[in-house]
Amino acid sequence: MNGIDRTSVVDLSSLNLDDVLAERKAPHFVASDKDGTLGGVFVEGVPVRIVHEGAAVFGGEVDHVDKIRPARTGAARVYAVDCVGWEVLGDRHVVAETYTQVLAGAIVRDLVDKYLATDGVTYTVESVQNGPAVTEAVFNYVKATPCFDTLAERAGFSWWIDGDKVIYFCERATYRAPWDLNDPDLVNDLQLHKSREGYRNRQYIKAGKDVTDSQVESFKGDGVSRTFTVGFPMAHVPAVTVNGVAKIVGIKGIDTDKDWYWNKGDAVLTQDQAAVALAATDTLAITYQGFFDVVILTTDEAAIEGRKVIEGGSGWYESVEDEPYLSSREAAIQSGNAKLRRYAKMPESITFNTWHPGLRAGQILSVNLPEEGLVNKEYLIDQVAFSRIGKRGTQPEYWRYDVKAVSGEALGGWARFFRNMATRGQAFVIRENIREDQVLIYLVQASESWRWAENTTITVNACPIPSAALYPSATLYPC
């Protein structure tokens, strides 16, 4: 803590350090203040680093402290300490940025430089990989953490900040466990689980708004009306003609002296007040593209048929996801198909415990235990829990690691799945907290200095006035 070894005052059997995929590490431990000198040590914000078997397994800071007064006179005061990983630094900065045609890794580096570097976060060439191209990324005043989350999800990457405040953004397929599970003596209590949790074969995506093909709508005047409503909110500047003659269109509320006015996202076209209202013999033609709400459905027919054979009935397992910032039907279909590729298979997981160190959440673990029916399979480690096991008879104290891992066999292997996500050759679009029809306004504050060089000659002349009420004439004054 703060660079000082405090292991001696910590009850290691109280250490709760669960490493869970896509969740922050939040270790808890209890410390004893036997000599009353630790009052200023266990306080909120103090840096904490946990090293296990020669490797830093956690880096962060104290988040919460309970100071417990002992019930017995003379007993040591106890501190119950909750910590939080350095990823919390991403919660302290609000991002307002836009990017176009940039690699995902370049966006991560830029966000670190602009927002997290002041808190000591760094990166290396190896720690932040480039990843796929991003066609467009718009972060509309959101915390840095969800920015990294979204970039990692779309790229098929993982991200974290290690104990030395180095950020990692790398392909999951390259993050392999340090050892393979091919010896049954390495594990205890191995269990294989299969369930329908999360399973689906029909996926609805409620996305944002897409743009229609070109529409043409015509109206007749009545000598009074100056507003005309089209069928969809307009997405782009419409082309307007009256009796076949093109008219000038401006932005409603901003432009003046135009024939007609429109607004993005508004279905109403308005005529200038100075113009003569259209007569019954006049024909107004509006050519435009409009916004419409996107709701798509993707299905896995083979998976549905498979469920029918086993269960009978429709075989349908449906799920709905809200993704309002997807701004096209193509993006929504891609999202729906991606979810079915992952979830239209019955998930399989294994749990076991081992005393062999090195396993971490997010690693790819190769398993080859033919006697258990597990032949050359790949599992994504979902959770690792650390436990300090006390002495039992002549057995010395040791660390036990309880592991849960999820199979990627149905996806052709987790490594292949994540590698395909990252290298599928399709650039992607990210919109966080902003829709297609909204504009991000970024206030840039700047200061400049000017040097003034000016010479002025002032001549002071006496200007006597005979009296306060005496003037030469009504238009003639002294001086």
Side-chain angles (χ1 to χ4, degrees):
M1 303 187 66
N2 247 344
I4 301 174
D5 189 348
R6 301 290 183 182
T7 310
S8 61
V9 299
V10 173
D11 178 7
L12 293 181
S13 65
S14 72
L15 178 61
N16 181 355
L17 178 57
D18 290 346
D19 186 6
V20 182
L21 183 64
E23 293 184 14
R24 296 178 185 175
K25 295 178 184 176
H28 169 85
F29 59 84
V30 174
S32 298
D33 189 4
K34 297 179 180 179
D35 55 7
T37 61
L38 301 178
V41 173
F42 299 105
V43 295
E44 293 79 358
V46 171
V48 179
R49 195 165 185 261
I50 300 177
V51 178
H52 178 62
E53 300 290 345
V57 295
F58 173 79
E61 61 188 21
V62 174
D63 186 53
H64 178 76
V65 179
D66 287 330
K67 187 176 181 180
I68 305 171
R69 180 180 179 181
R72 180 168 52 87
T73 303
R77 190 178 297 275
V78 174
Y79 294 90
V81 182
D82 292 303
C83 304
V84 63
W86 286 130
E87 292 84 3
V88 72
L89 297 176
D91 295 341
R92 299 176 185 173
H93 298 274
V94 174
V95 173
E97 299 289 342
T98 61
Y99 301 92
T100 56
Q101 301 300 333
V102 167
L103 295 174
I107 296 177
V108 171
R109 290 188 286 268
D110 188 65
L111 293 177
V112 171
D113 291 340
K114 290 180 178 178
Y115 298 94
L116 273 64
T118 54
D119 287 315
V121 178
T122 61
Y123 54 82
T124 67
V125 175
E126 294 78 16
S127 70
V128 177
Q129 299 176 4
N130 284 327
V134 179
T135 301
E136 179 185 38
V138 183
F139 302 115
N140 186 24
Y141 295 94
V142 293
K143 297 293 183 68
T145 297
C147 298
F148 295 134
D149 289 342
T150 303
L151 285 165
E153 179 186 15
R154 300 292 179 86
F157 278 28
S158 292
W159 82 274
W160 68 93
I161 301 176
D162 72 5
D164 298 315
K165 290 190 177 181
V166 176
I167 190 169
Y168 284 78
F169 180 78
C170 54
E171 183 182 346
R172 290 173 179 169
T174 64
Y175 187 40
R176 304 197 67 88
W179 49 272
D180 297 337
L181 180 50
N182 50 24
D183 183 350
D185 291 334
L186 289 175
V187 299
N188 297 315
D189 302 326
L190 177 67
Q191 297 183 32
L192 178 64
H193 309 270
K194 290 186 178 181
S195 74
R196 289 176 290 184
E197 182 181 359
Y199 177 80
R200 67 200 67 172
N201 51 37
R202 287 168 58 89
Q203 179 68 61
Y204 288 91
I205 300 292
K206 296 171 65 178
K209 295 182 181 297
D210 200 353
V211 178
T212 68
D213 295 332
S214 182
Q215 311 282 315
V216 180
E217 297 189 26
S218 299
F219 303 87
K220 287 289 187 179
D222 59 7
V224 177
S225 298
R226 296 183 181 276
T227 59
F228 298 86
T229 303
V230 293
F232 298 92
M234 290 176 283
H236 305 294
V237 181
V240 177
T241 64
V242 175
N243 299 327
V245 179
K247 298 298 179 179
I248 300 174
V249 180
I251 300 175
K252 193 186 303 180
I254 296 177
D255 291 332
T256 58
D257 299 326
K258 309 297 183 183
D259 298 319
W260 295 85
Y261 302 96
W262 83 295
N263 272 130
K264 190 170 186 176
D266 188 354
V268 178
L269 185 73
T270 304
Q271 187 181 23
D272 188 82
Q273 290 298 316
V276 178
L278 300 183
T281 54
D282 294 323
T283 300
L284 170 68
I286 305 171
T287 304
Y288 74 102
Q289 289 179 281
F291 286 120
F292 67 95
D293 293 325
V294 176
V295 179
I296 65 98
L297 169 65
T298 56
T299 64
D300 187 326
E301 296 300 331
I304 292 172
E305 290 302 317
R307 287 292 94 197
K308 283 183 180 180
V309 171
I310 296 173
E311 304 170 2
S314 69
W316 288 4
Y317 283 72
E318 297 183 317
S319 179
V320 179
E321 300 285 346
D322 286 308
E323 298 186 359
Y325 302 122
L326 294 179
S327 55
S328 72
R329 74 199 84 175
E330 290 81 8
I333 292 171
Q334 287 178 1
S335 178
N337 286 335
K339 287 177 171 57
L340 289 183
R341 284 196 301 269
R342 182 167 184 176
Y343 295 112
K345 311 292 186 296
M346 291 295 176
E348 176 183 297
S349 64
I350 58 172
T351 59
F352 60 88
N353 67 71
T354 180
W355 59 93
H356 202 53
L359 299 184
R360 302 285 184 272
Q363 292 175 341
I364 303 296
L365 176 66
S366 294
V367 180
N368 187 32
L369 299 173
E371 63 276 16
E372 303 294 341
L374 304 175
V375 180
N376 296 324
K377 290 192 173 184
E378 286 186 335
Y379 286 82
L380 175 68
I381 298 178
D382 183 64
Q383 181 173 348
V384 180
F386 293 63
S387 301
R388 182 71 167 174
I389 306 301
K391 294 181 179 180
R392 294 180 180 177
T394 60
Q395 184 182 26
E397 290 187 349
Y398 67 97
W399 285 92
R400 188 180 78 181
Y401 313 97
D402 293 282
V403 181
K404 177 183 177 183
V406 183
S407 173
E409 178 191 19
L411 302 171
W414 283 114
R416 182 184 301 173
F417 173 76
F418 291 128
R419 190 179 298 114
N420 287 343
M421 285 183 66
T423 60
R424 61 185 178 270
Q426 296 181 357
F428 54 87
V429 176
I430 296 173
R431 288 181 172 272
E432 286 290 332
N433 203 32
I434 188 169
R435 301 191 309 270
E436 171 73 19
D437 60 337
Q438 292 180 318
V439 175
L440 173 62
I441 298 176
Y442 184 49
L443 174 63
V444 178
Q445 295 182 340
S447 61
E448 294 187 39
S449 299
W450 291 271
R451 179 170 294 149
W452 293 88
E454 183 175 332
N455 296 321
T456 303
T457 301
I458 301 175
T459 302
V460 179
N461 295 317
C463 184
I465 299 176
S467 73
L470 182 61
Y471 296 86
S473 72
T475 59
L476 183 62
Y477 294 83
C479 298

